[in-house]
Amino acid sequence: MKITAYPSKVETQMRDFYNRLSETDGRRYAALEASKLGYGGITYICSVLQCDEGTVRRGRQDFEKPLSALATRLRKPGGGRKSVLATTDGLDAAFVEVLRNHTAGSPMDETIKWTNLSRGDIAAKLKEHGFTISVTVVDQLLEKHHFRPRQAFKSEALKKNIPQRDEQFHKIEQLKEKYHTQGNPVMSMDVKKKELIGNFYRAGKLYTTEPVRVNDHDFESVAEGKVVPHGLYDIYRNLGYLTLGTSHDTSELSCTCVRNW
C-alpha cells in the first residue's frame, strides 16, 4: 500500500525545495523526511523528490557520523570554474614582459624588486598584448610573482592648532569664485620642502617583492644632492605643472615657475 503523507501541494513544495539544495544538503533533507514516516518512508520520499534510494541511505549515513566529521565543503577539492591564470595561455608570460621595462631592483639583493606601474596601467598594457583582464586578475598575477603593495611608514605626524582656520578657508573660497567669475585663472601653489636625493623616506607606495628599506636618518652628508619640488595646479582647467629646481631662494623659484607657466 502506497503511503500518502502529504497533500500534493506540499509534495510539490518539497520537490522544489529539494531541487534548490546542494547535493550534500539534498540527501540529508531526503533522509530526514524519510525518517519521519517509518516503514515505506524511503520509497515514498524517493517518489516525491524523484531521487533514488541510495541518495537517502547516504543521507542517513551522514547523520550517523559525529558532527565534527561532516564535510563543510559543498564541492570536492578542485571543483568549480578554473581561474583565468590557469586557463589563459600566454597571460603569465605577457605579464612578465609588461613588467620587464618597468621594474627596478636593489643592487644589493636581486630578489628585491619593485614596479612603477599601477594595477590599471598593467591591465592596459596587457590589453595591448591581446589580454583583456580586470585589475582583480592583475592582483592575482602580482601576488603570484610576490609583489605586494608596501609603503614607507612614519608612526606619528606633528599636529598644528591654527586659530580661525575655518574663517581663512571661507575667505579663500570667496576670492576663488570672485577671480574665476572675472575670467582670471585660479591656481593652487605648493612649494614642498627640499628633498635629499638618495635612499631616503618618500611618501606613497608601490608594488614590490620585499619591504621598502630606507636610511633611518635623513643626513644631508650622505645625500647625492638636493632638489626643490614646486607645483602649480590650475583648479578650473584641471591642469598641473611641476618644476624641480635647485634654488635655495623660495620666492625667486616660485616667481620663475609662475612666469614659465
Side-chain angles (χ1 to χ4, degrees):
M1 179 177 174
K2 181 180 178 182
I3 297 177
T4 304
Y6 302 108
S8 59
K9 181 178 179 180
V10 175
E11 290 180 346
T12 300
Q13 292 173 338
M14 291 171 61
R15 186 162 48 251
D16 290 343
F17 177 68
Y18 172 80
N19 291 331
R20 286 173 171 78
L21 295 174
S22 67
E23 179 182 344
T24 301
D25 291 338
R27 69 170 178 260
R28 292 172 183 173
Y29 171 69
L32 188 63
E33 288 291 343
S35 67
K36 298 177 183 178
L37 304 176
Y39 180 77
I42 294 180
T43 302
Y44 169 68
I45 289 299
C46 288
S47 67
V48 171
L49 303 181
Q50 298 177 358
C51 63
D52 59 50
E53 294 186 4
T55 298
V56 180
R57 284 196 297 270
R58 288 194 297 274
R60 283 185 168 180
Q61 291 171 359
D62 285 347
F63 286 119
E64 293 173 358
K65 299 175 183 177
L67 184 61
S68 59
L70 295 179
T72 57
R73 294 181 64 99
L74 297 182
R75 290 194 179 111
K76 293 181 179 180
R81 187 174 63 180
K82 300 297 183 182
S83 69
V84 174
L85 272 64
T87 58
T88 308
D89 293 335
L91 177 58
D92 196 70
F95 172 80
V96 173
E97 181 63 27
V98 164
L99 261 64
R100 188 183 306 279
N101 295 325
H102 297 275
T103 300
S106 170
M108 306 300 294
D109 187 346
E110 62 181 13
T111 64
I112 301 176
K113 299 177 291 183
W114 55 87
T115 178
N116 62 350
L117 295 177
S118 67
R119 297 183 305 158
D121 293 335
I122 295 172
K125 289 184 177 296
L126 283 172
K127 190 172 184 179
E128 297 174 3
H129 285 70
F131 298 96
T132 301
I133 62 171
S134 67
V135 293
T136 302
V137 178
V138 173
D139 287 338
Q140 297 171 10
L141 286 164
L142 288 165
E143 183 175 356
K144 178 181 178 181
H145 291 271
H146 310 295
F147 284 86
R148 300 286 190 278
R150 305 182 192 273
Q151 181 179 14
F153 179 72
K154 286 188 176 182
S155 59
E156 294 185 6
L158 297 177
K159 297 181 179 179
K160 296 181 180 180
N161 184 15
I162 302 177
Q164 301 174 326
R165 188 174 185 84
D166 191 54
E167 288 85 347
Q168 293 176 5
F169 279 102
H170 278 298
K171 182 64 174 178
I172 291 172
E173 286 299 320
Q174 293 173 4
L175 293 173
K176 283 167 54 179
E177 279 299 318
K178 177 182 177 180
Y179 295 148
H180 178 60
T181 302
Q182 294 174 350
N184 296 314
V186 179
M187 295 182 299
S188 173
M189 179 187 299
D190 193 6
V191 183
K192 304 298 290 184
K193 69 180 181 67
K194 299 176 177 66
E195 294 285 345
L196 298 176
I197 301 174
N199 188 35
F200 302 111
Y201 171 83
R202 298 287 186 269
K205 63 177 65 175
L206 69 163
Y207 283 93
T208 171
T209 56
E210 294 292 335
V212 180
R213 303 185 184 279
V214 297
N215 297 342
D216 55 354
H217 290 84
D218 296 343
F219 291 139
E220 187 174 349
S221 58
V222 298
E224 300 173 18
K226 186 182 296 185
V227 67
V228 185
H230 181 279
L232 288 174
Y233 174 57
D234 190 325
I235 297 174
Y236 292 101
R237 294 174 63 199
N238 192 29
L239 291 175
Y241 183 80
L242 180 67
T243 301
L244 301 178
T246 57
S247 172
H248 289 254
D249 188 328
T250 302
S251 58
E252 180 184 39
L253 173 63
S254 297
C255 291
T256 300
C257 290
V258 172
R259 185 182 304 113
N260 290 338
W261 170 81

